[in-house]
Amino acid sequence: MELFVFKNLELLQEERAAEIEETREWQENISVKKLQQRGVCLLKLQVASQRTGLYGRFIVSFEPRKYEASASLPSNNFGPGDIVGLYDNQGSTSLDQLASGVVTRITQKSVTVAFDESSDQLNFDNDSSYKLLKLANDVTYKRLKNALNALSQYHAGPASNLIDVLFGASEPSSPSEIQKSQELYNSCLDDSQIEAVNFALAQKEVAIIHGPPGTGKTTTVVEIILQAVKQGLKVLCCAPSNVAVDNLVERLVQIEAKVLRLGHPARLLKSIHRHSLDAVLAHSDNTQIVMDIRKEIDQAFAKMKKAQDRGQKVHFRGEIKTLRKELRAREEAATVQILKKASVVLATNTGASDDGPLKLLPDDYFDLVVIDECAQALEASCWIPLMKAPKCILAGDHKQLPPTIISNKAAANGLSLSLMERLIQRYGERVVKMLTVQYRMNNAIMQWASRQMYGGRLVAHAMVAAHLLKDLPGVVTTEETMIPLLLIDTSGCGLLEIDEEDEQSKGNKGEVQIVAKHIQALTEAGVYPKDIAVITPYNLQVQLLRKELSSKYPELEIKSVDGFQGREKEAVVLSLVRSNRRGKTKDGLASGVEEDFDALIAATIKADGICAYLKCNGSIRTIGQHCIHCNKHYCLSHHIPEVHGCSAHAKAHARKLISREGILYAGSGSKDKTLDPVKRAHLQRKLGKKIDQLASQRSAKKESKN
């Protein structure tokens, strides 16, 4: 555990540095147009509407500043819960920032942001143009760091045995006996799901529910939570994303479970707002008292500003301090009361931190922690909720996308390894139950994934195994609706990708036309556009597809692969984009395409002569500096460790030097008493001359005696 904490603190620092560096490069070196192409900036926005809502927060909707009614936002990576900076059209540095807020809703036509500033502080001009830029989230990094430090200092607490098991200091206990005849809340569970529910309830420290796509993982997790509540357990339920948490809330409230959702209201789905802490507090018995106290504070502030006498100002300041103390006590008491009424408290992994409402509960309050989509979460984030209970249930699929990490170095050194995958590697079937019946796709689509990633264990349920588009109501039988899987090979057709240097994103106009023809064929056969999704790995292709298709098919969903993950449609069209004469793919050369050896050597020699700093093409053949920490060479502008990303290693090296030799800066530490080499040589020559002189004097005396 100590080794894990030490290593992950270093890796998180590496990741944070990469995130800050990326943001700095965006703001300093990359034009706002390219930022928009990368999906992290939205330009030329105008205010569409503004109102006060979300429990006192100021809500503003922005739309593209264009005159045609069909104007759409460009393809982007914005999503509910993202922190964004608001700027006028000229500035993009931190000094130019007008305000920061949280994205509450994003559509193809508009983006809505919640600001904590009031409408008085933010005066929007309907004729002005604005832009939004995604910001790095400093709060998340601090919470992860604090969780790791708390883990390293954890001694006697509710999670002591769990920590020992999860780090291999002790083996998992034998499972307890569970009554197989227990009544299920969901009578439609299949055998593998029922087995997973019983397994999870029987385990004493940890259980993992491995749910491949379409196997009903969330359905199974909801049943486990409800059964745990029926046993009288207090459950803390978490996931790495707000969408995943909200999905669980929606499913739990259908069974009328007593749930409470923690988190900023702007990050929550509108349908579950009434279950959020802010909403419940707003309707609690103490609300009027709290509002009265706030009113008294405002009045005292107004009187203090008007007061001329120093004594009066001191009096009002003391009154405000007393009122604030009472307000905090009232709010905390109301929050504790609401928390204790809930059977299931839900939050994101980082939202369960001790700087939030959960700090008001005793350390041993929760009996069970459930983490959904665990395979997509950084392990450090999982330890925020895990230290609050003696048992955990982890659910997810480690064969799908790993946690999103910016730093390649941090990912390669282990930051991308999830807790779920690490435990499966260590304990295997002893702690895992896999769901094996999938309800989402035709057998022909499922087979390859089942063989390659799930040991051939997946079985398509009878209702989807042979299901085709032609079986949908109102859909006629055509070539496109008769087959479950269609692969279109465009090689040799001249449909090459857009070749633009310095562009990270890719596009392929030829593929756009093929997609358009296929969508036309599907809709003419009777498939509704709302039942079709077009997905692609590249933002530029998303823009091209939307430009071509959105006006004709407003209900057609066009998204990036990451943006569509976990969703379902009757028909999915995937545009892979890459097609070039070199056979180059996203991650390098396509298999079977042989690189010219001489060209490879030349490229390597060229790379060795260029500064290793990202985006710098400066030559280091004549003058360059070698970094002892990363073993790379840099130009004079980027050779300092703090500049090129080795600051952590440089600090560690300096600490070792200080502790070993007592050197803090040049000239500090114990005085070097060894002689300077030049002075030593001079004294040696002087001593030699003296010896020769004495020898000659001795010889002269000898001769005179004789």
Side-chain angles (χ1 to χ4, degrees), residues 2-42:
E2 288 82 1
L3 183 63
F4 168 84
V5 170
F6 176 78
K7 182 180 178 182
N8 271 263
L9 283 171
E10 278 197 342
L11 295 177
L12 283 174
Q13 192 171 358
E14 182 84 34
E15 172 71 0
R16 178 63 179 159
E19 188 178 13
I20 292 171
E21 175 62 24
E22 186 179 68
T23 304
R24 186 187 67 78
E25 283 191 6
W26 287 352
Q27 294 180 338
E28 294 179 10
N29 303 327
I30 301 176
S31 68
V32 287
K33 284 188 177 179
K34 286 189 176 180
L35 289 178
Q36 180 163 273
Q37 289 174 358
R38 293 188 182 186
V40 297
C41 184
L42 292 171

Side-chain angles (χ1 to χ4, degrees), residues 450-615:
S450 178
R451 286 196 304 267
Q452 295 296 321
M453 296 192 290
Y454 303 107
R457 294 171 63 187
L458 288 186
V459 178
H461 191 270
M463 69 179 185
V464 298
H467 186 59
L468 299 171
L469 286 174
K470 69 179 182 64
D471 301 325
L472 294 173
V475 177
V476 299
T477 301
T478 65
E479 185 180 359
E480 289 79 15
T481 63
M482 284 175 60
I483 54 174
L485 180 63
L486 173 64
L487 304 176
I488 300 176
D489 183 4
T490 64
S491 59
C493 299
L495 304 181
L496 299 179
E497 67 196 57
I498 298 172
D499 189 15
E500 294 182 26
E501 288 192 17
D502 300 325
E503 282 294 343
Q504 286 193 348
S505 197
K506 305 290 180 184
N508 190 316
K509 292 181 179 178
E511 276 191 22
V512 171
Q513 296 307 313
I514 292 177
V515 171
K517 289 288 186 185
H518 194 65
I519 298 298
Q520 181 182 347
L522 290 175
T523 53
E524 286 177 354
V527 181
Y528 292 114
K530 67 180 178 64
D531 292 330
I532 306 171
V534 180
I535 60 176
T536 176
Y538 300 97
N539 280 320
L540 179 56
Q541 187 73 350
V542 172
Q543 288 181 20
L544 296 173
L545 287 163
R546 285 180 177 173
K547 188 176 180 181
E548 178 72 23
L549 298 168
S550 290
S551 57
K552 188 175 180 181
Y553 308 102
E555 293 183 308
L556 179 69
E557 195 165 349
I558 304 171
K559 285 192 173 179
S560 66
V561 174
D562 289 358
F564 190 75
Q565 190 195 4
R567 305 285 307 286
E568 294 183 15
K569 292 285 184 178
E570 295 292 351
V572 176
V573 181
L574 172 61
S575 175
L576 290 171
V577 176
R578 299 308 300 266
S579 178
N580 52 62
R581 291 184 177 90
R582 294 161 297 175
K584 191 176 180 183
T585 63
K586 184 178 179 183
D587 299 313
L589 294 173
S591 58
V593 180
E594 203 170 309
E595 181 83 30
D596 180 75
F597 186 69
D598 291 336
L600 190 61
I601 294 294
T604 305
I605 292 171
K606 183 182 176 183
D608 283 343
I610 295 175
C611 174
Y613 186 69
L614 188 70
K615 300 283 183 187

Side-chain angles (χ1 to χ4, degrees), residues 111-179:
V111 55
T112 305
V113 182
F115 298 99
D116 285 332
E117 291 88 346
S118 66
S119 54
D120 298 334
Q121 295 170 282
L122 288 173
N123 295 314
F124 286 107
D125 182 355
N126 290 337
D127 295 324
S128 296
S129 188
Y130 300 95
K131 66 183 170 205
L132 293 172
L133 182 67
K134 280 183 77 172
L135 301 178
N137 190 348
D138 182 57
V139 175
T140 298
Y141 171 71
K142 287 179 178 176
R143 287 177 175 174
L144 295 176
K145 187 177 174 183
N146 290 341
L148 289 174
N149 287 326
L151 177 61
S152 66
Q153 297 161 15
Y154 197 96
H155 297 296
S160 295
N161 290 338
L162 177 62
I163 292 170
D164 287 343
V165 170
L166 298 191
F167 285 108
S170 61
E171 295 295 304
S173 305
S174 300
S176 57
E177 289 293 326
I178 291 291
Q179 294 179 356

Side-chain angles (χ1 to χ4, degrees), residues 220-456:
T220 306
V221 170
V222 167
E223 184 69 34
I224 292 168
I225 294 169
L226 293 171
Q227 292 294 336
V229 170
K230 188 161 72 173
Q231 293 177 5
L233 304 182
K234 290 287 187 181
V235 182
L236 173 61
C237 190
C238 299
S241 70
N242 282 290
V243 173
V245 178
D246 289 347
N247 186 27
L248 284 168
V249 175
E250 285 187 321
R251 301 285 287 274
L252 286 165
V253 296
Q254 289 174 6
I255 320 291
E256 299 182 356
K258 293 179 181 177
V259 303
L260 182 68
R261 172 68 158 98
L262 306 183
H264 194 300
R267 294 187 171 97
L268 317 185
L269 289 177
K270 196 171 182 179
S271 59
I272 60 111
H273 273 181
R274 61 195 176 94
H275 302 288
S276 71
L277 178 59
D278 285 69
V280 179
L281 273 172
H283 297 93
S284 70
D285 297 337
N286 291 318
T287 304
Q288 192 57 51
I289 299 172
V290 168
M291 288 174 66
D292 289 343
I293 296 172
R294 283 179 178 160
K295 193 174 180 181
E296 287 180 45
I297 291 173
D298 292 339
Q299 290 171 349
F301 256 122
K303 289 176 182 177
M304 186 177 74
K305 284 182 180 178
K306 291 178 182 177
Q308 302 294 324
D309 182 57
R310 186 173 179 277
Q312 283 185 313
K313 283 183 179 289
V314 171
H315 167 72
F316 287 125
R317 196 173 285 118
E319 186 180 341
I320 291 169
K321 187 177 179 182
T322 304
L323 286 168
R324 278 182 169 167
K325 190 175 179 181
E326 185 183 352
L327 177 65
R328 187 163 55 250
R330 291 271 186 184
E331 285 181 331
E332 287 184 356
T335 301
V336 170
Q337 188 179 18
I338 291 166
L339 282 167
K340 290 189 172 180
K341 280 183 180 178
S343 301
V344 186
V345 177
L346 298 103
T348 59
N349 290 350
T350 53
S353 64
D354 283 335
D355 59 359
L358 294 184
K359 69 183 177 186
L360 302 173
L361 294 174
D363 291 341
D364 60 351
Y365 181 78
F366 292 104
D367 305 296
L368 173 66
V369 168
V370 177
I371 302 180
D372 196 15
E373 302 296 355
C374 183
Q376 292 178 33
L378 289 176
E379 178 169 352
S381 75
C382 294
W383 281 106
I384 295 174
L386 283 176
M387 286 183 281
K388 299 183 186 301
K391 176 180 173 178
C392 71
I393 293 170
L394 314 176
D397 182 11
H398 58 291
K399 301 293 186 180
Q400 293 189 56
L401 289 176
T404 302
I405 295 171
I406 296 171
S407 168
N408 292 330
K409 184 178 177 183
N413 287 330
L415 195 61
S416 62
L417 181 66
S418 68
L419 171 64
M420 180 173 169
E421 189 169 5
R422 181 171 70 78
L423 292 176
I424 290 174
Q425 289 174 2
R426 184 176 193 89
Y427 293 119
E429 295 296 320
R430 294 169 60 189
V431 297
V432 184
K433 272 290 176 284
M434 178 176 156
L435 306 177
T436 55
V437 182
Q438 67 87 13
Y439 300 82
R440 183 177 293 170
M441 64 199 96
N442 184 287
N443 192 58
I445 302 173
M446 177 203 76
Q447 279 180 347
W448 180 86
S450 178
R451 286 196 304 267
Q452 295 296 321
M453 296 192 290
Y454 303 107

